[in-house]
Amino acid sequence: MQTPPQQSKPLLLASGSSYRRQLLRKLGLRFTAVSPNIDEAAKPGEAAEDLALRLACQKARALAAAYPDHLIIGSDQVAVLGDSRLGKPGTHENAVAQLARASGNTVTFLTGLCVYDAVCGISHTGLDRCRVHFRRLHRDQIERYVAADQPYDCAGAFKSEGLGIALIERFEGDDPNALVGLPLILLTEMLKRFGVAVF
């Protein structure tokens, strides 16, 4: 019989993302998930790394008043191609256009992470950086992929946990989970600092 992880405080995932909920379940922790509903627009001149970290912290702290006894996890991802940011495409046409730009190029996925203790106001933050090298893709390949995986709510318009893995040659990074939206290796270390041991 598996022993459940030790939790000193209730855990809250500040996210409405089904992908992040699925990832956090891998750790076997009890948690509640609530969408923080914040404004995710970048500030003028804000660097992509700063944006990912700021939004991760903003998400976590936005729920502190409603959950004052919780450890709150916030995470946000920004995808960058050259000097441009790739948001969630939203439509088939936008997804095809994003992947056409990514074809033969490298997209950097920056995932900000914040664990905030609402009791004492202490937080730990970190940034996971993953570089994804895309294959050269023909238009019909892109069209077939987008129709199959429908990655309309994914930054960069592909799902590495699905058929999208066939679009890439390789990736450089510490944690493949971060590509999906939640860097579990980094999160495990942060939770440990707050007394939450996965094992």
Side-chain angles (χ1 to χ4, degrees), residues 2 8-9 21 24 47 49-50 56 61-62 69 81 95 98 102 107 111-112 135 137 154 162 165-166 199:
Q2 186 177 5
S8 56
K9 292 175 182 160
R21 290 196 301 269
L24 187 51
E49 293 88 345
D50 295 336
R61 292 177 182 178
D69 59 342
L81 173 56
Q98 280 196 11
V107 177
T111 307
R135 302 179 187 278
L137 305 168
C154 301
I165 197 68
F199 292 107

Side-chain angles (χ1 to χ4, degrees), residues 34-198:
V34 177
S35 176
N37 295 319
I38 65 166
D39 179 3
E40 298 188 20
K43 295 179 179 179
E46 187 173 28
E49 293 88 345
D50 295 336
L51 174 62
L53 278 171
R54 177 177 64 81
L55 292 180
C57 293
Q58 195 172 329
K59 287 178 179 181
R61 292 177 182 178
L63 296 174
Y67 297 87
D69 59 342
H70 282 62
L71 276 179
I72 308 175
I73 301 167
S75 184
D76 194 82
Q77 186 177 78
V78 178
V80 179
L81 173 56
D83 294 328
S84 302
R85 293 175 188 157
L86 304 178
K88 297 175 183 178
T91 67
H92 180 92
E93 292 74 19
N94 289 341
V96 169
Q98 280 196 11
L99 288 173
R101 290 183 60 204
S103 173
N105 290 310
T106 300
V107 177
T108 301
F109 290 82
L110 303 162
T111 307
L113 182 66
C114 175
V115 180
Y116 180 70
D117 187 337
V119 175
C120 61
I122 293 174
S123 63
H124 291 292
T125 62
L127 184 75
D128 184 281
R129 184 187 305 268
C130 183
R131 290 167 53 85
V132 177
H133 302 268
F134 281 83
R135 302 179 187 278
R136 293 199 176 275
L137 305 168
H138 299 296
R139 176 76 180 212
D140 62 327
Q141 292 174 317
I142 294 172
E143 290 278 1
R144 288 201 305 270
Y145 166 70
V146 172
D149 241 5
Q150 300 184 11
Y152 309 133
D153 59 347
C154 301
F158 92 114
K159 298 180 181 180
S160 63
E161 73 279 20
L163 184 58
I165 197 68
L167 303 179
I168 67 174
E169 289 182 343
R170 61 191 174 90
F171 78 93
E172 302 170 50
D174 295 326
D175 188 347
N177 297 290
L179 267 182
V180 187
L182 190 64
L184 295 182
I185 294 174
L186 183 58
L187 177 59
T188 299
E189 177 58 35
M190 287 186 183
L191 290 174
K192 184 178 177 183
R193 297 177 198 171
F194 285 111
V196 179
V198 175

